[in-house]
Amino acid sequence: AWTRFSVPTLTVTYPSDPFALAYFAKVLPTGAALGQQTLVTVSGTGFEPAVAKASVIRCSFNEVISLPVSVGAKAIVCQTPAFAAVDSAVAFSLLALETDGSGSPREPVSITSTFAAYDNANVTVTALSPPGGPQGVLNALVSLQGEGFVD
């Protein structure tokens, strides 16, 4: 016969850092027009802790901090400020405005991605294909032809 000396227990501890489990796959788009705000989507996985703490998540473009447009399990959407002029690549970070276990502010998650601003006065669109489509279709491909596009 077996003698039980204690009851087995299982303890699961999740990290308190909302980005501890995150895998960042890509940032799109990689540029914005000068003087215009643009939605930027950070895609990946493991954002569930960030969803649970959406109220403390912030976006930072060249240290201009703003609220995210949305925080989801696979994507965080941020809106850029309207850049007046940019001399170099834009620094982009995600922040959790809270303290860690020791009371220190959390370090930002710096997303290393080439993000640029361009002057849309130098862009000319000469063709759009297809010329239309149903409203609300996700992941629809659109081709633009013209001059002055940024890679």
Side-chain angles (χ1 to χ4, degrees):
W2 291 88
T3 304
R4 181 178 282 185
F5 294 100
S6 65
V7 177
T9 60
L10 173 66
T11 303
V12 177
T13 304
Y14 290 98
S16 62
D17 183 342
F19 298 117
L21 303 175
Y23 165 73
F24 300 98
K26 61 184 171 182
V27 177
L28 291 173
T30 57
L34 290 175
Q36 303 293 317
Q37 293 180 312
T38 300
L39 294 179
V40 174
T41 301
V42 179
S43 301
T45 58
F47 295 169
E48 290 84 355
V51 172
K53 294 185 171 189
S55 64
V56 302
I57 305 300
R58 299 293 184 273
C59 307
S60 174
F61 293 90
N62 277 357
E63 299 183 15
V64 175
I65 298 174
S66 63
L67 292 168
V69 174
S70 68
V71 178
K74 294 184 179 180
I76 297 174
V77 179
C78 301
Q79 187 169 29
T80 68
F83 299 111
V86 176
D87 295 329
S88 60
V90 175
F92 174 52
S93 301
L94 292 173
L95 312 166
L97 296 183
E98 64 180 0
T99 56
D100 61 17
S102 68
S104 299
R106 290 208 186 277
E107 291 294 319
V109 175
S110 295
I111 308 293
T112 304
S113 179
T114 304
F115 191 85
Y118 61 91
D119 186 350
N120 62 358
N122 296 326
V123 176
T124 304
V125 176
T126 57
L128 172 67
S129 176
Q135 186 175 9
V137 174
L138 296 176
N139 300 319
L141 296 177
V142 177
S143 295
L144 300 175
Q145 293 178 348
E147 299 176 354
F149 296 117
V150 176
D151 289 337

